[in-house]
Amino acid sequence: MTVAKDDLGGVALWRRIADAIRLDIVGGKLATGDRLPTEAVLAERFSANRHTVRRALAVLSDEGVVGAEQGRGTFVRSAKRLSYPIGKRTRFTEGLAGQANTISSRTLSSRLENASAVVAKALGLKTGSKVIRNDSVSLADGVPLSRATTWLPYRRFPDFVDRIAQLHRMTAVFASYGIADYARASTRISARHADVEETKLLGLSPGAILLVSESVDVDSAGEPISYALSRFPAERMELVV
Amino acid sequence: MTVAKDDLGGVALWRRIADAIRLDIVGGKLATGDRLPTEAVLAERFSANRHTVRRALAVLSDEGVVGAEQGRGTFVRSAKRLSYPIGKRTRFTEGLAGQANTISSRTLSSRLENASAVVAKALGLKTGSKVIRNDSVSLADGVPLSRATTWLPYRRFPDFVDRIAQLHRMTAVFASYGIADYARASTRISARHADVEETKLLGLSPGAILLVSESVDVDSAGEPISYALSRFPAERMELVV
DNA sequence: ATGGATTTGTCCGTATGTATA
DNA sequence: CTATACATACGGACAAATCCA
């Protein structure tokens, strides 16, 4: 089967318009309090019907990004996006400190499993080795900011499950094992659409875009201590190198 | 107006499925030659109809990522994605050397304009200062890899337009101005859907996801020499820090 | 070589979402 | 609000190709 030439790409026009307007807002082209162009002007700009533009604005209104006021226009309500710094010494909580009042992390599950080829390679283990798999969601001021899955070598962190339940933060668990300092060995960044589970956990509308970071942390001796797959909603976060 | 609760998100299911399968392939979970799960199994996994899965596979088949064979199954045809390294010394052409046979860059337009607030801030200039704006598309082995817009201070690079027309590569133009070495001061990474123009220039289907990099390069004295907004198709590239 | 199971390919129809006018 | 056209998604039925006992 061949896809038709006039394929619209599977992304609805109202969503592309909503994404474009949101980008202008979080990207700084429109500031909080600014009035958006009229629906008629936006319709002209995007070569779309006014109803289609209204659908896009309704979504942004539901998100709290804009607010429409009858007779006056549509205004920018909030225009902020958090920045997550990535470098040699990358710490999730520290990196976001100052950008939000409260950062919290909730462990969804923490269990033992056998390393897949990808995980084993990242941690320098043999495929099938025992590894801890820790699934978590992080929130800033109550808004979900990331969905992360972290794998650690079981051999080195045998009772990780108990310790994360007590200490909550990864840095604290490492410290409890005598790892005072650790460094980011590599970070690979890609992007894709959210799946159903991520959509629910992160409170997104299906089809939202995620920034995906694949990272390996090593101790001071250069030994891999964790491999993490972190997913950030692109509409709420940006990564700063 | 409020968006219905059963909102499908504006991104077609077949596209989300195609993106998920493509990610498994380029991400290494499936190697070239591997057989994909049967359409029935995939339908079960994604809670979708077999026809919807077939639509997703048709897209991947058109892309050349997979190939279906009646009675046998669907197989991975090609499983490669380019990696673009980002660090202190980031050079576009050098970074991709070895991953493709030919890297080329085509300037779409190169002209003088007045700096917007964002551009001025990045380059340490006053809003409205004269800046060069250079729009280009880069290709690896004939496949579009990036769409970049670069701004440079006019004061320092008065005849940039002529030089880029001759030298083609940014590093070469800098060298011609006596800048032997330069460094990456900051990189901010986000993601969004491609717009109509990017879709055409990069040869993507509308709705494709772009990785967006916003970067500032400085000379050895720490003076900003360029501000670039680069857009990479997420399905062809990943960024490595 | 044959039959049956598996898997992709094609056809029908129906309901709902998207976009315009 | 209506009406229209097309895309999306589902469901079922059956044909065609492949594989294996």
Side-chain angles (χ1 to χ4, degrees):
Chain A
M1 171 187 172
T2 296
V3 175
K5 266 187 306 189
D6 59 341
D7 174 16
L8 283 173
V11 180
L13 183 53
W14 63 260
R15 173 173 267 277
R16 295 201 295 260
I17 293 172
D19 288 348
I21 295 173
R22 193 192 298 105
L23 187 77
D24 280 351
I25 293 172
V26 298
K29 285 189 185 173
L30 289 165
T32 302
D34 280 3
R35 207 189 77 164
L36 295 178
T38 66
E39 294 173 353
V41 170
L42 290 171
E44 171 71 16
R45 174 183 307 171
F46 293 108
S47 306
N49 193 279
R50 192 170 78 94
H51 297 304
T52 308
V53 170
R54 284 178 59 75
R55 178 88 156 92
L57 291 175
V59 172
L60 295 175
S61 178
D62 276 10
E63 289 176 14
V65 176
V66 305
E69 296 174 30
Q70 206 172 112
R72 300 219 308 132
T74 305
F75 298 83
V76 177
R77 286 258 183 279
S78 138
K80 59 180 172 184
R81 180 154 60 166
L82 298 186
S83 295
Y84 181 39
I86 293 178
K88 279 270 169 280
R89 270 187 51 90
T90 298
R91 305 287 185 275
F92 184 77
T93 310
E94 291 175 24
L96 295 171
Q99 298 188 60
N101 293 320
T102 65
I103 307 275
S104 65
S105 194
R106 185 167 64 90
T107 295
L108 302 171
S109 76
S110 199
R111 59 181 189 278
L112 199 60
E113 70 175 25
N114 297 316
S116 67
V118 176
V119 170
K121 194 182 170 195
L123 292 174
L125 304 171
K126 284 179 187 165
T127 302
S129 304
K130 283 185 180 173
V131 288
I132 307 280
R133 176 199 168 116
N134 189 70
D135 283 282
S136 66
V137 171
S138 296
L139 305 94
D141 297 336
V143 179
L145 267 198
S146 84
R147 164 81 181 81
T149 305
T150 309
W151 287 270
L152 309 94
Y154 173 71
R155 199 187 179 84
R156 182 143 182 199
F157 307 101
D159 55 351
F160 174 91
V161 175
D162 299 330
R163 299 202 189 180
I164 191 71
Q166 277 203 317
L167 301 169
H168 302 296
R169 290 181 28 238
M170 208 58 94
T171 307
V173 172
F174 286 144
S176 79
Y177 278 104
I179 301 173
D181 197 29
Y182 60 96
R184 179 62 60 93
S186 70
T187 309
R188 292 144 59 89
I189 299 164
S190 58
R192 62 173 170 82
H193 285 121
D195 67 22
V196 179
E197 188 222 356
E198 292 156 344
T199 289
K200 280 185 187 168
L201 287 169
L202 294 172
L204 299 168
S205 62
I209 296 178
L210 298 180
L211 276 165
V212 181
S213 148
E214 221 179 317
S215 60
V216 176
D217 279 331
V218 296
D219 64 15
S220 50
E223 198 69 24
I225 56 175
S226 77
Y227 167 67
L229 196 66
S230 309
R231 286 139 283 177
F232 307 96
E235 60 196 55
R236 295 180 197 152
M237 290 276 280
E238 65 183 0
L239 309 179
V240 178
V241 181
Chain B
M1 173 187 168
T2 296
V3 175
K5 265 186 309 191
D6 59 341
D7 175 15
L8 285 172
V11 179
L13 183 53
W14 63 259
R15 170 172 273 280
R16 296 199 297 256
I17 294 172
D19 288 349
I21 295 173
R22 191 193 297 106
L23 188 77
D24 279 352
I25 293 172
V26 298
K29 285 189 184 173
L30 291 164
T32 301
D34 281 3
R35 207 189 77 165
L36 295 177
T38 68
E39 294 172 352
V41 171
L42 290 170
E44 171 73 16
R45 174 182 307 171
F46 292 108
S47 306
N49 191 276
R50 187 169 77 97
H51 295 301
T52 308
V53 169
R54 285 178 57 74
R55 178 86 158 91
L57 291 174
V59 171
L60 297 176
S61 179
D62 276 10
E63 289 177 12
V65 175
V66 304
E69 295 175 31
Q70 194 171 139
R72 303 219 311 132
T74 305
F75 299 82
V76 177
R77 285 260 183 279
S78 143
K80 58 178 171 184
R81 180 157 59 166
L82 297 186
S83 295
Y84 182 39
I86 293 178
K88 278 270 169 280
R89 268 188 54 91
T90 298
R91 304 288 185 274
F92 185 77
T93 309
E94 290 175 23
L96 295 172
Q99 297 187 62
N101 292 322
T102 63
I103 308 276
S104 65
S105 195
R106 186 166 64 90
T107 295
L108 302 172
S109 75
S110 198
R111 60 181 188 276
L112 198 60
E113 70 176 24
N114 296 316
S116 68
V118 175
V119 170
K121 194 182 170 194
L123 291 175
L125 303 172
K126 283 180 186 163
T127 301
S129 303
K130 283 186 180 173
V131 287
I132 306 281
R133 176 201 169 115
N134 189 69
D135 283 281
S136 65
V137 171
S138 297
L139 305 94
D141 297 335
V143 180
L145 265 199
S146 85
R147 164 80 181 81
T149 305
T150 310
W151 287 269
L152 308 95
Y154 172 71
R155 199 187 178 84
R156 184 146 182 195
F157 306 101
D159 55 351
F160 174 90
V161 174
D162 299 330
R163 299 202 189 180
I164 191 72
Q166 277 203 316
L167 302 169
H168 301 297
R169 288 180 32 237
M170 208 59 92
T171 307
V173 172
F174 286 145
S176 80
Y177 279 102
I179 301 172
D181 198 28
Y182 60 96
R184 179 61 60 95
S186 71
T187 308
R188 295 144 61 88
I189 298 164
S190 58
R192 60 174 172 82
H193 284 123
D195 68 20
V196 179
E197 189 222 355
E198 292 157 345
T199 289
K200 280 185 188 170
L201 286 169
L202 294 172
L204 300 168
S205 63
I209 297 177
L210 298 181
L211 278 164
V212 181
S213 150
E214 218 179 320
S215 60
V216 176
D217 280 331
V218 296
D219 64 16
S220 49
E223 198 69 24
I225 55 173
S226 78
Y227 168 65
L229 196 65
S230 310
R231 287 139 279 178
F232 307 96
E235 59 196 56
R236 296 181 196 149
M237 291 276 281
E238 66 182 1
L239 308 179
V240 177
V241 180

